[in-house]
């Protein structure tokens, strides 16, 4: 997982993609910049939602927002 390269994996994206991105200080896997770049590259296909001050398990930290 640490070697994920979203710009490579999704370079030929042709279907909608939802990225739920937990962001916290000292994040073990800080992908927010790469995910933002991916969303900008594929406007209209990628929806990038950032959950600030959140650990990996978004559904535990923000259950209502996660369900929406």
């Amino acid at each position: 997982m640490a070697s994920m390269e979203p710009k490579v994996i999704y370079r030929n994206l042709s279907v909608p993609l939802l990225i739920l991105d937990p962001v916290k200080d000292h994040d073990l896997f800080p992908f927010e910049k790469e995910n933002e770049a991916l969303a900008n590259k594929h406007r209209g296909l990628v929806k990038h939602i950032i959950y600030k001050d959140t650990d990996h398990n978004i559904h535990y930290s923000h259950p209502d927002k996660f369900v929406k």
Side-chain angles (χ1 to χ4, degrees):
M1 187 162 165
S3 65
M4 277 182 36
E5 291 286 340
K7 65 183 175 188
V8 174
I9 294 169
Y10 300 111
R11 66 183 169 267
N12 298 317
L13 186 67
S14 60
V15 297
L17 175 67
L18 174 62
I19 300 173
L20 303 177
D21 198 355
V23 176
K24 193 169 186 173
D25 289 342
H26 311 293
D27 195 346
L28 184 59
F29 300 109
F31 291 119
E32 61 269 16
K33 290 179 184 172
E34 290 88 349
N35 290 335
E36 183 178 347
L38 184 65
N40 288 331
K41 180 179 180 183
H42 297 283
R43 292 181 189 264
L45 284 179
V46 177
K47 181 166 179 106
H48 180 211
I49 301 173
I50 294 176
Y51 290 79
K52 292 188 182 268
D53 299 319
T54 304
D55 291 315
H56 176 74
N57 294 313
I58 295 169
H59 56 289
Y60 290 129
S61 299
H62 304 278
D64 295 333
K65 189 175 178 182
F66 178 79
V67 171
K68 285 182 184 180

